[in-house]
Amino acid sequence: MRPTPHKALAASALGIAALAAALLPVTPAAATPPTAPLAADCTPAQVVTNGGFESGTSPWTQSSSTVITSRSGQSAHGGTSFAWLNGVGSTHTDTLSQSVTIPSGCSSATLTFWLHIDTAETTSSTAYDKLTAKIGSTTLATYSNLNKATGYVQKSFDVSAFAGQTVSLAFTGTEDSSLQTSFVLDDIALDTSGGTTPPADSTRTPAAPSYTVSLSSNTSGTVWTGHESATFTNASSTALSEVYLRLWDNYHGTCSAMPIAVSNVTGGTAGALSVGCTALRIALPTPLAQGQSTTIGFDLGITVPSGADRFGYDGAFSMIGNALPVLAIKDGSGWHLDPYTNNGESFYSLAADFKVTLDHPTTLLVPATGTSVDTPGSSGRTVTTATASKVRDFAWAAGPFSKISGTSAAGTPINIYSVSGISSSSAQSMLTTAKSAVDAHAGRFGAYPYGELDAVIDNNFWFGGMEYPGFVLDLVSTTALTHEIGHQWFYGIVGDDEYNSPWLDEAFTDYATDLALGSTGTNCWNSVSWASTAEKITNSMAYWDAHSSRYSTVVYGYGKCALHDLRRVLGDTVMAKLLKDYATSHWYGVSTTAEFKAAAQAATTTDLTSFWTQHRIDG
């Protein structure tokens, strides 16, 4: 997404970098990216056992049998069980601990856990009730009733200093004599890494998803009904007893009037909705062993709300982003069931295949992810069949658009769809921009793999622009459209956890946008001014939702400036090769901050430790 000044909660980062005349060298695009893995220095591991508390209490030591629980009153971040410390409302102490061994030989060890705090305390200044997190004798953090928040927030700590040691990971909660505070923990993980090879994508499951969708619209394209099925494989050595569907666009409604309605589930049993009705648990009839595949199906109803949004209709034009339910990811940290964020993106999904059939009135054009073919339907209707391979999501639009088409110099077909009020000269300008941008990005990071590229242009978009695979929403803006097309590589091809690591797509895409537009970010890091010691480029959307006015400045602006600085440290040629090789090695995979840092370090003999510290890039 590209925030604009129209959005009060995100300041534009467009003015951070100064324009310069020279572009970085362009590496010719390969038709098919190489797949040879890089060598690893250590075997990445997750060393906390039963961090999601789904396997009983072992090996945790708890102060009472009620700490690890699934009882009512609180809810899990993932699965059904969690650790509930305190919440008594009188003088009380709860403890939870586990002995962990952090292997030697890995340069990085990161502890993460999800924490929810609610309290009956009314003070805004006094910490009456506290939770302390420790590893060995070191206190990592102390939280209190002052840190109360709606929902879970992920916490992350660098514990690399304990490599080669067996230490106690411990949480202690204390309450004073009155007014309860509950400290709820879930999905605790301690990941070690340090080689140039990321943890294998096979540790993320359900893997190799394939979606088949058939929908029919009303006359205006604002209501769609039909059926969806999802076939997937369990890649984990742990049997899979459940999956979660993300119904992201239920954020735009209420749980009593949901825009995304799933019913008549087959292949599993639907459970309760959670996370603001954006997550639906489906229990599988029998646990799915490693390497086994299965299919779930369900009837689907989509009701598009009013508003020029990434999911909404603007007059006669409907934008339908994130409307198809997709499978959540489970990895070493458990199920990723983050909340929807309207400031940026929460979306984290594996590359999948989609075949989507959209039956609609012939008067409506339907641009969509993938390559589309139109065939006649019943009287006055058209059936658009869109097929897309190795994409992380699927989006479409519907309306009486004006359409112009062209082909980039490298051969990518491009379609520009404009709403009413967009002049033909503006549309032509956007077509020219799209041709240039897709070829510039492909030259640096690898050939564009998604067939055609559709761009829907509407100057009423409050969010500036929004990316989907092969499909973008945008204003009439050269910079914004170049940015959204850059997302085809960073988020689309090179995936990431957009909620917990937004810089991996936004900063990298803004850096790519600078290069495509001829900006080298000269001295842009010199204008950096941090708001607090807690502010870091690598903070999650949980942090940025609480500090929304700084999101664009830090993640987009400081993030791309850090990459420009890294280029100056490594040199233009080395930086260009690093990013091309990194994209190649993560093609259709998932990137993490630790993996990028390791790849950058492997590209130079200069110790980058102080660089990451100065630029506040943790992980």
Side-chain angles (χ1 to χ4, degrees):
M1 190 161 74
R2 180 77 188 185
T4 74
H6 297 113
K7 186 175 182 181
L9 50 76
S12 172
L14 299 183
I16 292 179
L19 288 176
L23 289 168
L24 289 185
V26 175
T27 305
T32 303
T35 57
L38 302 172
D41 297 326
C42 77
T43 301
Q46 198 291 102
V47 301
V48 170
T49 302
N50 191 24
F53 310 108
E54 300 300 314
S55 303
T57 61
S58 179
W60 293 99
T61 299
Q62 53 183 338
S63 55
S64 75
S65 60
T66 60
V67 172
I68 296 176
T69 183
S70 58
R71 69 185 191 273
S72 62
Q74 297 291 343
S75 59
H77 172 258
T80 59
S81 298
F82 46 91
W84 184 352
L85 285 75
N86 305 117
V88 175
S90 60
T91 303
H92 187 79
T93 298
D94 274 328
T95 61
L96 180 73
S97 64
Q98 178 181 145
S99 177
V100 295
T101 299
I102 304 175
S104 58
C106 294
S107 61
S108 175
T110 303
L111 171 70
T112 58
F113 56 86
W114 291 86
L115 174 63
H116 167 60
I117 302 174
D118 70 52
T119 184
E121 301 283 3
T122 58
T123 179
S124 59
S125 59
T126 304
Y128 290 115
D129 310 317
K130 298 178 182 179
L131 175 76
T132 300
K134 297 180 68 174
I135 186 164
S137 60
T138 300
T139 297
L140 299 173
T142 299
Y143 308 98
S144 74
N145 48 281
L146 300 179
N147 303 116
K148 66 180 180 181
T150 301
Y152 279 88
V153 177
Q154 189 179 43
K155 308 298 181 182
S156 179
F157 303 92
D158 183 353
V159 293
S160 305
F162 295 89
Q165 300 181 39
T166 298
V167 290
S168 174
L169 173 62
F171 301 89
T172 302
T174 59
E175 281 183 289
D176 71 348
S177 58
S178 65
L179 299 178
Q180 76 87 24
T181 300
S182 294
F183 301 101
V184 189
L185 293 160
D186 203 359
D187 293 331
I188 302 170
L190 202 165
D191 292 285
T192 62
S193 62
T196 54
T197 299
D201 279 0
S202 62
T203 62
R204 299 178 177 98
T205 201
S210 177
Y211 301 93
T212 302
V213 185
S214 179
L215 298 172
S216 181
S217 81
N218 63 354
T219 56
S220 62
T222 58
V223 176
W224 299 77
T225 56
H227 189 79
E228 177 176 345
S229 65
T231 300
F232 54 88
T233 301
N234 180 22
S236 171
S237 59
T238 302
L240 196 63
S241 61
E242 62 184 359
V243 295
Y244 284 85
L245 289 174
R246 296 315 307 259
L247 282 54
W248 288 115
D249 283 335
N250 279 342
Y251 168 87
H252 298 277
T254 66
C255 288
S256 58
M258 293 181 289
I260 310 300
V262 169
S263 60
N264 299 324
V265 173
T266 59
T269 303
L273 286 159
S274 59
V275 199
C277 293
T278 66
L280 175 63
R281 178 179 181 268
I282 297 179
L284 300 179
T286 57
L288 197 66
Q290 185 175 28
Q292 290 185 332
S293 301
T294 193
T295 300
I296 59 172
F298 47 89
D299 291 338
L300 177 63
I302 300 170
T303 303
V304 183
S306 175
D309 210 328
R310 50 193 181 186
F311 178 60
Y313 65 84
D314 182 18
F317 303 92
S318 294
M319 315 303 163
I320 311 171
N322 305 115
L324 293 185
V326 294
L327 292 162
I329 294 175
K330 183 182 182 184
D331 59 20
S333 300
W335 286 105
H336 286 260
L337 302 177
D338 301 302
Y340 185 101
T341 175
N342 212 29
N343 292 334
E345 289 81 46
S346 303
F347 318 125
Y348 177 31
S349 54
L350 298 182
D353 295 338
F354 285 81
K355 182 177 181 181
V356 180
T357 302
L358 302 168
D359 184 325
H360 56 89
T362 303
T363 53
L364 304 180
L365 297 184
V366 180
T369 290
T371 301
S372 296
V373 175
D374 288 343
T375 56
S378 58
S379 178
R381 297 182 69 88
T382 296
V383 176
T384 298
T385 300
T387 305
S389 297
K390 305 301 182 185
V391 296
R392 299 182 191 278
D393 202 353
F394 185 97
W396 73 100
F401 294 102
S402 297
K403 177 186 176 183
I404 59 172
S405 301
T407 303
S408 76
T412 299
I414 297 171
N415 304 302
I416 303 295
Y417 294 82
S418 302
V419 304
S420 304
I422 302 297
S423 68
S424 58
S425 60
S426 292
Q428 286 290 341
S429 174
M430 291 299 92
L431 179 59
T432 299
T433 294
K435 291 177 181 179
S436 174
V438 73
D439 284 354
H441 296 318
R444 290 187 176 89
F445 310 121
Y448 178 75
Y450 295 140
E452 66 190 37
L453 173 63
D454 295 338
V456 175
I457 309 299
D458 184 341
N459 276 334
N460 291 332
F461 291 144
W462 62 266
F463 50 85
M466 180 63 197
E467 69 279 1
Y468 297 100
F471 176 94
V472 300
L473 307 174
D474 225 311
L475 309 172
V476 177
S477 167
T478 295
T479 302
L481 186 56
T482 303
H483 175 96
E484 302 311 333
I485 292 174
H487 272 305
Q488 301 303 307
W489 282 263
F490 294 102
Y491 143 75
I493 297 167
V494 180
D496 65 285
D497 180 344
E498 292 187 300
Y499 187 84
N500 289 299
S501 300
W503 90 288
L504 286 172
D505 54 280
E506 296 298 357
F508 281 62
T509 297
D510 238 21
Y511 176 78
T513 300
D514 273 5
L515 300 186
L517 297 180
S519 172
T520 58
T522 304
N523 297 322
C524 71
W525 187 256
N526 295 345
S527 62
V528 166
S529 177
W530 299 104
S532 71
T533 56
E535 188 171 81
K536 298 177 181 179
I537 288 173
T538 46
N539 282 348
S540 73
M541 288 309 303
Y543 178 89
W544 299 119
D545 281 348
H547 304 82
S548 56
S549 65
R550 296 285 293 169
Y551 169 57
S552 178
T553 298
V554 177
V555 173
Y556 291 67
Y558 296 179
K560 73 174 180 182
C561 284
L563 293 172
H564 281 301
D565 269 13
L566 181 62
R567 174 175 53 82
R568 282 182 272 274
V569 171
L570 301 181
D572 290 2
T573 301
V574 173
M575 182 68 167
K577 184 177 188 302
L578 165 65
L579 290 179
K580 181 67 174 292
D581 289 348
Y582 191 76
T584 295
S585 65
H586 288 76
W587 204 264
Y588 301 139
V590 175
S591 167
T592 69
T593 298
E595 292 158 19
F596 177 72
K597 289 170 66 176
Q601 185 60 76
T604 180
T605 57
T606 301
D607 186 347
L608 296 177
T609 302
S610 62
F611 179 93
W612 307 126
T613 301
Q614 177 196 358
H615 293 78
R616 299 198 184 190
I617 296 173
D618 291 351

